[in-house]
Amino acid sequence: MYCTHFDAKRCASCHWLDKPYPEQLLLKQQQLTVLLAPFAPLEVLPAVASSEQGFRHKAKMVALGTAESPVLGIVNTRGETVDLTDCPLYPVAFQRVFSLCKAFISRAGLTPYHIESRRGELKFILLSQSLHSCRFMLRFVLRSKNCLASIQKHLPWLLQQLPELEVCSVNLQPKPAAILEGEDEIILTEHSVLAEQLNAVPLYLQPQSFFQTQPVMAASLYQTAADWAAQLQHQHGCFTKIWDLFCGVGGFGLHVASPSQQLTGIEIAPAAIASAQRAAAEMGFKDVRFQALDSSAFAQAAAEPPDLLVVNPPRRGLGNALCEDIQRLAPNWLLYSSCNADSLAQDLARLSQYRLIKVQLFDMFAHSSHYEVLTLLAKQA
């Protein structure tokens, strides 16, 4: 992938872009192999490669410049304002939407927020696109409600120009801190969720619910987890109970479980749980329980284990307390998806009752040192 911003040293977000892509993938696989060597995995599968550009279906743009001449992008380490609306990580369709966003900012008089002076209203533009429908969700992150009426007034123009816009909202983030979004979300459109579909599994994305930035790689990750679970059931007998901790909108659980099995999904965000419940109902799940709870607290209170435990924690990993509860509950099988191999390795050391069976790297974040890992662990006899 060629990027004019990287070449001109204006943006270094893709910090491995100077390496040929096969070399990037090899380095990641080597790093993962070294990290997990102490746990002697029985099978290390080949890494799943990414597309080199146009793969990122979620954009987080800082609002810069002025209302008359807005810029969407970043302030780099040299303090320069960099417009990234032509970033090759995004699908080509994003460029037209960014252009319309700029025109809308000018029409509605949305003054970009200035950190030093703490003046202005518009902090970020957050844009997501469904791989399945190609429709968009657009969020304006504002300091206050001062510009809400103007956004509502001019929104019909934006909807006319961009009929693919399914969901539009305002998020209020009043704190003068480097925080992407606040708690309050104001939906401005008839629809409040963006429908996605991966591997025939419906997934519903609400403005504040987490979802992977690269849906093609997410589909591969989810399908692999489903395949591994199916192989286990074929070899060792059918599971009755499956838990999906840190379940988000239900991506892993709804792929791994079947409607005849008992599925429990736990996620702290109520919006994500509502989406998971909707998808499960559409798929015909009868014995399903998605709950808005803290995953660690849920495990701590549990007395009986599932047959299969699926975990997809944030970058910090599971941590001591949750690993202790997993060992106490002792499910037979554990599927662990991680976006941070370092915290994964720390957790594997804590899970001393388990043996690492399979490992596979998914290159969710091409041109960087980051990646996703799926592992399968078995309780030792």
Side-chain angles (χ1 to χ4, degrees), residues 45-358:
L45 296 166
V48 179
S50 168
S51 298
E52 293 190 41
Q53 65 184 64
F55 58 78
R56 189 179 177 96
H57 281 241
K58 182 190 294 185
K60 303 173 183 178
M61 294 291 195
V62 181
L64 301 159
T66 65
E68 295 76 20
S69 299
V71 175
L72 300 178
I74 61 169
V75 176
N76 66 18
T77 55
R78 300 198 297 256
E80 298 169 332
T81 295
V82 184
D83 190 305
L84 292 180
T85 54
D86 60 346
C87 172
L89 291 182
Y90 304 118
V92 174
F94 273 47
Q95 292 189 26
R96 173 172 169 264
V97 181
F98 287 141
S99 179
L100 287 171
C101 285
K102 289 180 180 179
F104 182 81
I105 289 169
S106 297
R107 277 177 164 265
L110 306 180
T111 305
Y113 181 72
H114 189 259
I115 296 174
E116 285 76 18
S117 66
R118 297 187 179 181
R119 296 192 176 190
E121 290 295 325
L122 180 61
K123 293 187 172 183
F124 300 100
I125 290 286
L126 308 179
L127 180 67
S128 300
Q129 185 186 32
S130 164
L131 178 69
H132 176 68
S133 68
C134 296
R135 298 184 70 79
F136 289 93
M137 174 164 60
L138 174 64
R139 303 169 65 202
F140 297 95
V141 181
L142 302 179
R143 182 178 68 159
S144 72
K145 290 184 178 180
N146 287 347
C147 292
L148 179 59
S150 183
I151 290 176
Q152 291 171 319
K153 175 183 176 181
H154 293 280
L155 185 59
W157 175 86
L158 183 59
L159 292 170
Q160 183 180 43
Q161 300 297 315
L162 186 62
E164 313 96 287
L165 183 56
E166 186 82 357
V167 182
C168 186
S169 68
V170 162
N171 178 273
L172 298 178
Q173 203 293 85
K175 297 179 181 178
I179 301 172
L180 184 64
E181 60 187 62
E183 295 181 0
D184 295 331
E185 195 86 23
I186 303 168
I187 305 296
L188 304 178
T189 45
E190 177 185 355
H191 298 285
S192 60
V193 297
L194 181 66
E196 182 61 280
Q197 182 174 302
L198 302 180
N199 308 315
V201 173
L203 300 168
Y204 294 97
L205 315 182
Q206 298 198 36
Q208 294 192 351
S209 57
F210 168 80
F211 195 68
Q212 302 283 5
T213 60
Q214 187 178 165
V216 171
M217 196 60 62
S220 179
L221 177 66
Y222 293 151
Q223 188 58 55
T224 301
D227 292 344
W228 290 5
Q231 291 166 12
L232 287 179
Q233 294 187 76
H234 177 72
Q235 295 166 3
H236 302 279
C238 188
F239 304 137
T240 301
K241 294 193 299 183
I242 297 173
W243 289 359
D244 183 7
L245 302 187
F246 309 97
C247 69
V249 296
F252 275 106
L254 295 172
H255 275 82
V256 168
S258 67
S260 63
Q261 292 171 312
Q262 184 186 102
L263 173 62
T264 298
I266 304 297
E267 167 63 47
I268 195 69
I273 287 299
S275 296
Q277 290 170 333
R278 175 176 174 179
E282 283 189 21
M283 294 179 69
F285 279 81
K286 303 300 182 185
D287 194 357
V288 63
R289 182 174 53 149
F290 282 103
Q291 292 182 292
L293 298 170
D294 176 77
S295 292
S296 294
F298 172 81
Q300 185 178 36
E304 298 292 332
D307 300 303
L308 172 66
L309 173 61
V310 183
V311 294
N312 181 29
R315 287 191 61 79
R316 66 179 181 272
L318 299 174
N320 276 316
L322 184 48
C323 285
E324 287 177 2
D325 279 311
I326 290 173
Q327 299 234 107
R328 173 182 60 83
L329 291 163
N332 288 325
W333 303 97
L334 173 61
L335 273 171
Y336 187 152
S337 178
S338 170
C339 61
N340 183 352
D342 291 308
S343 62
L344 169 65
Q346 293 167 10
D347 286 337
L348 292 178
R350 296 173 178 128
L351 295 167
S352 57
Q353 295 177 16
Y354 285 83
R355 185 174 186 186
L356 187 55
I357 305 299
K358 283 186 183 180

Side-chain angles (χ1 to χ4, degrees), residues 1-71:
M1 182 182 85
Y2 176 75
C3 175
T4 58
H5 303 296
F6 183 85
D7 193 49
K9 297 182 170 54
R10 289 190 296 267
C11 177
S13 298
C14 296
H15 51 273
W16 275 13
L17 193 53
D18 58 340
K19 306 181 197 307
Y21 184 67
E23 181 184 341
Q24 295 180 31
L25 209 57
L26 179 62
L27 286 171
K28 293 182 183 187
Q29 188 79 343
Q30 288 174 342
Q31 183 202 41
L32 181 62
T33 300
V34 170
L35 272 173
L36 300 188
F39 309 104
L42 295 181
E43 186 177 8
V44 179
L45 296 166
V48 179
S50 168
S51 298
E52 293 190 41
Q53 65 184 64
F55 58 78
R56 189 179 177 96
H57 281 241
K58 182 190 294 185
K60 303 173 183 178
M61 294 291 195
V62 181
L64 301 159
T66 65
E68 295 76 20
S69 299
V71 175

